[in-house]
Amino acid sequence: MTTRYITTPIYYLNAAPHLGHVYTTVAGDVLARFWRLHGAKVKFLTGTDEHGQKIAQAAEALGKDPKVHVDEMAEVFRRMTKDIGATPDVFIRTTEERHYKAASALWGRLIESGDIYLGSYSGWYAVRDEAYYDESEIVDGKAPTGAPVEFMEEPSYFFRLSKWENALLKYYEDFPQAIAPLSRHNEVISFIKGGLKDLSISRTNFTWGVPVPGDKDHVMYVWMDALTNYITALGYPDSDTENFKDFWPESIHLMGKDILRFHAIYWPAFLMAAKLQPPKRIFAHGWWTANGQKMSKSLGNVVDPFKLIETYGLDQLRYFLMREVPFGQDGDFSNAAMISRINSNLANDLGNLVQRVLSFVAKNAGARIPTPGDFTDEDREMLAASAQLHDILIEDMNQQLLHKYCEHIGDVVVKANRYIDQQRPWSLKKTGRPEDEKHMETILYVLLETIRHVGIYYQPVMPETMGRLLDQLGQDLRTFEDLKTPLKSGITLPAPEPLFPRIETEAA
Ligand code: MSP
C-alpha cells in the first residue's frame, strides 16, 4: 500500500502566524488530501515548536510564564490550521509528555552510540534563528540572515556531526532525490564538503527546554528537540509498531529554504547515529516577497493571510499560493497578481466553463446528465485529455510540483473551453434534426465528464468550492478510483450557481 508521511515544520510560538506558515501548511494539506483521494495511507503532521530562548524571551517580554504563553499561542496556530482548511492527522506540540519521552530517548541512543560528548562552546549564537554561526559567517556583526548575534561561552554537550560527513555524502549521492529541488541538493552537498563541525546540542544559560537526561544544568538545543517531533508523532522510541514502520522513513518534510540545513544535515545525522533511516524526501520551498520587497514589520509590508481570505476567499488563496509560484522557487505576492489569477484562471476559465455547460444543460437537456451517442474524434480527444490527467498528476505529486499540478488541470479547462467553442452545441439545438440533438447531448456529456475530472482533481487545492461543484454535478463519488467508472447518465442536476465571483479591481 502506498503510504505518505507529510510534515510541515513545527512553528515557533514567539509571534502570530504569517504567510510563510500558511504557505507550507497549505502545501502539505494539498499533498495529504491528494494522497488520501488516491487511496494511500496518509499521515499529515503539523504543530508547534515551543522551547528555546526565542520563545522564553517572547514570553518574558509579555510578562508571562512560558508555559502559559505557549498554551495560548498553540491555540492560535491550531486555529490558523483550521482557518486555512488544513486537515492534519497530527498536531504536535513539543511541550507534550510524549515528546519529552521521545527526545530524551533519542538523546540516550546517541549517548550509547558514543555520538555525544561534553565539552565547552564558544562562538556566535543568533536567538532569532536559534542557530550557531561560525566566525567566518558573521557579516558586520550580524548573522548572514541579518539576525543579531551574541557571543556565547558555556559548557555544552556536542553531537559528533563531523563523524557523519561521509555517511551523509554517500547517502545523498546514492539518493539525490532525497533533497529537492536539485539546486538545494547541490547546496547541501557543497556545504557538507566544506566540512562539518561537531554541533553544540545543549544550553545552560536558560531553562526553557527539554532537560538533558542525567544533567539538570543543561537543556537540549531547541533544534535537536524540535527535529525529533517527526518521530515522536510515530510513537518513538517504540519503533517496532505498525505506525512507525508504515511511516518511517516514508516522510516528505516540507519547509522553507532557510531551514533546509537543519533538516538535511543535522536531522539525518541524528537519525543515522540512532540507527534509523534518514528521511526519504526533504523539499525546500522558496520565500514570498511582497511587491518585490522582503516582508518585514519595520517596512510595514507584511501580508496578512487572514485578510486575504476575507477579501478573496479561502480557496482562492489556496489556489493562488499553489499556482502562482513554482514550488521550490521564490515568489512575489501582490494584489494585482492575486486578482489576475482569480479572474483569469478561476472566474474566466473554470467558472465560465462550468456555468456555460451547466446552464446549457439546464435549459436544453432537461437539467439531466444526457446519454451520449457515438463519439467523434474531437469528443474522444477531449475525453482523453482528462483520462490522461491521472498519471500526469501522480507524477506531479510524487515530485511535489504543486504548481504543475494546478497547471495540468488548468490546461484541460482551457481545452474544454476551446472544445465548446468549436463544437458549438447551441447551433445543433436549432436545426431540429434528431441526429444533431443527439450530437449536442454527446458534446454535453463529454463536457460534464471533463468537469467531473477537473472537480475531483482540484479538490485537494480548493476543497470547499470543488465540493460545491461536484454537488452541482450530482456526484457523491469523489475519489480518483471513482473516475475509473464513466460518468452516469440520467442524473438530475440542481440549478447551477456561480463558483468564482470575478474580483472587481476597485473592490480590492
Ligand atoms: N521552529 C522552526 C522549525 C522547526 S521544524 C523541526 C521554525 N519555525 S518558524 O515558525 O520560524 O517557521 C518558519 C517557516 O516559515 C519556515 O519554513 C520558513 O521558511 C517559513 N517562512 C518564513 N517566512 C517566509 C516567507 N516570507 N515566505 C515563505 N516562507 C517563509 O523555523
Side-chain angles (χ1 to χ4, degrees):
M1 180 174 214
T2 312
T3 58
R4 291 286 184 279
Y5 181 32
I6 299 148
T7 71
T8 73
I10 50 170
Y11 304 120
Y12 285 133
L13 295 182
N14 58 307
H18 56 59
L19 190 66
H21 302 122
V22 167
Y23 185 47
T24 328
T25 306
V26 168
D29 189 58
V30 171
L31 285 165
R33 287 177 184 264
F34 174 86
W35 289 111
R36 288 183 196 126
L37 287 168
H38 179 68
K41 194 165 177 181
V42 172
K43 196 181 288 282
F44 172 32
L45 169 143
T46 189
T48 46
D49 186 353
E50 309 195 353
H51 294 126
Q53 215 172 345
K54 169 150 103 171
I55 288 161
Q57 287 177 355
E60 200 184 320
L62 295 166
K64 284 184 183 162
D65 174 76
K67 183 67 168 76
V68 172
H69 172 71
V70 296
D71 283 348
E72 287 170 10
M73 286 303 288
E75 283 318 302
V76 175
F77 275 76
R78 231 189 259 276
R79 205 173 324 124
M80 171 276 277
T81 306
K82 212 164 152 253
D83 289 348
I84 60 173
T87 53
D89 301 290
V90 189
F91 188 101
I92 194 161
R93 300 183 52 191
T94 54
T95 49
E96 288 174 65
E97 190 57 42
R98 59 172 172 165
H99 180 69
Y100 275 67
K101 193 173 147 204
S104 313
L106 182 67
W107 185 283
R109 286 290 288 273
L110 302 186
I111 291 275
E112 276 167 32
S113 64
D115 283 275
I116 292 180
Y117 63 91
L118 183 61
S120 136
Y121 179 82
S122 75
W124 299 98
Y125 192 79
V127 175
R128 197 171 86 191
D129 303 341
E130 295 284 17
Y132 301 93
Y133 290 102
D134 235 38
E135 183 69 49
S136 62
E137 293 178 286
I138 305 299
V139 196
D140 299 334
K142 289 204 165 146
T145 55
V149 288
E150 57 192 47
F151 196 79
M152 239 180 68
E153 201 156 16
E154 57 181 43
S156 171
Y157 287 93
F158 282 83
F159 171 72
R160 289 188 202 281
L161 186 61
S162 56
K163 173 177 148 190
W164 295 96
E165 219 174 276
N166 289 332
L168 284 170
L169 277 178
K170 173 144 181 24
Y171 177 69
Y172 289 132
E173 270 154 25
D174 291 348
F175 301 101
Q177 71 283 10
I179 303 173
L182 187 63
S183 57
R184 300 289 168 205
H185 162 90
N186 298 337
E187 189 183 299
V188 169
I189 295 289
S190 51
F191 187 80
I192 302 174
K193 284 190 171 156
L196 298 179
K197 288 205 185 116
D198 290 351
L199 177 69
S200 164
I201 50 166
S202 75
R203 302 290 306 273
T204 55
N205 66 336
F206 66 97
T207 55
W208 182 238
V210 180
V212 163
D215 191 339
K216 57 180 181 1
D217 293 339
H218 293 249
V219 291
M220 287 183 202
Y221 170 41
V222 65
W223 271 100
M224 163 127 206
D225 152 5
L227 288 161
T228 311
N229 93 85
Y230 300 129
I231 53 173
T232 301
L234 303 181
Y236 190 80
D238 293 334
S239 49
D240 208 15
T241 60
E242 198 184 322
N243 194 24
F244 200 93
K245 288 187 204 147
D246 274 350
F247 294 110
W248 198 263
E250 289 306 318
S251 53
I252 303 166
H253 293 320
L254 304 175
M255 78 216 58
K257 60 183 181 180
D258 54 315
I259 56 173
L260 172 63
R261 215 175 269 186
F262 302 91
H263 283 83
I265 296 175
Y266 302 172
W267 179 225
F270 296 156
L271 288 163
M272 286 177 182
K275 300 186 179 59
L276 291 168
Q277 294 291 314
K280 268 253 171 84
R281 179 91 162 167
I282 295 172
F283 195 108
H285 65 66
W287 269 47
W288 285 90
T289 50
N291 299 299
Q293 277 184 311
K294 191 176 151 93
M295 282 184 245
S296 84
K297 282 196 194 114
S298 49
L299 285 176
N301 66 343
V302 177
V303 174
D304 177 352
F306 305 99
K307 281 233 177 72
L308 296 180
I309 294 173
E310 253 173 56
T311 311
Y312 300 110
L314 172 58
D315 281 355
Q316 283 85 342
L317 175 64
R318 289 173 61 108
Y319 176 80
F320 174 80
L321 293 177
M322 296 299 102
R323 176 63 185 82
E324 180 71 4
V325 175
F327 201 55
Q329 291 178 27
D330 290 339
D332 187 48
F333 175 86
S334 67
N335 281 296
M338 176 118 189
I339 293 169
S340 152
R341 276 285 164 213
I342 294 173
N343 283 350
S344 72
N345 298 171
L346 297 181
N348 284 2
D349 294 350
L350 178 56
N352 273 349
L353 172 71
V354 173
Q355 191 64 23
R356 277 168 102 185
V357 173
L358 289 181
S359 44
F360 196 86
V361 171
K363 282 197 207 103
N364 304 301
R368 278 209 265 150
I369 299 181
T371 307
D374 293 337
F375 295 123
T376 63
D377 285 350
E378 289 78 12
D379 301 337
R380 267 192 229 105
E381 200 194 310
M382 188 67 242
L383 289 171
S386 39
Q388 282 157 6
L389 269 180
H390 183 260
D391 291 355
I392 296 173
L393 297 179
I394 296 270
E395 188 50 25
D396 290 340
M397 288 313 223
N398 271 328
Q399 305 292 327
Q400 296 84 38
L401 298 177
L402 300 164
H403 60 295
K404 284 277 173 208
Y405 184 85
C406 297
E407 206 178 308
H408 284 135
I409 304 172
D411 287 347
V412 172
V413 172
V414 169
K415 195 175 164 73
N417 275 314
R418 216 179 304 132
Y419 169 83
I420 194 170
D421 291 341
Q422 283 161 356
Q423 298 299 312
R424 304 165 49 83
W426 50 88
S427 67
L428 297 167
K429 180 74 188 173
K430 291 183 202 138
T431 67
R433 288 205 300 258
E435 64 271 29
D436 284 348
E437 170 117 16
K438 190 77 227 168
H439 188 201
M440 176 199 79
E441 289 183 344
T442 308
I443 294 165
L444 295 177
Y445 178 88
V446 169
L447 284 162
L448 290 167
E449 177 63 314
T450 304
I451 294 172
R452 179 174 74 122
H453 279 74
V454 167
I456 286 182
Y457 286 131
Y458 260 149
Q459 288 177 102
V461 184
M462 299 180 280
E464 192 272 330
T465 322
M466 292 305 106
R468 278 194 284 126
L469 167 59
L470 293 165
D471 288 345
Q472 293 193 35
L473 283 183
Q475 302 299 308
D476 296 331
L477 303 177
R478 300 174 176 190
T479 71
F480 303 155
E481 181 70 21
D482 296 321
L483 286 172
K484 290 189 181 151
T485 314
L487 178 68
K488 273 211 195 74
S489 304
I491 297 171
T492 307
L493 303 182
E497 276 165 36
L499 293 176
F500 299 105
R502 256 190 88 79
I503 311 281
E504 298 311 331
T505 326
E506 308 87 81

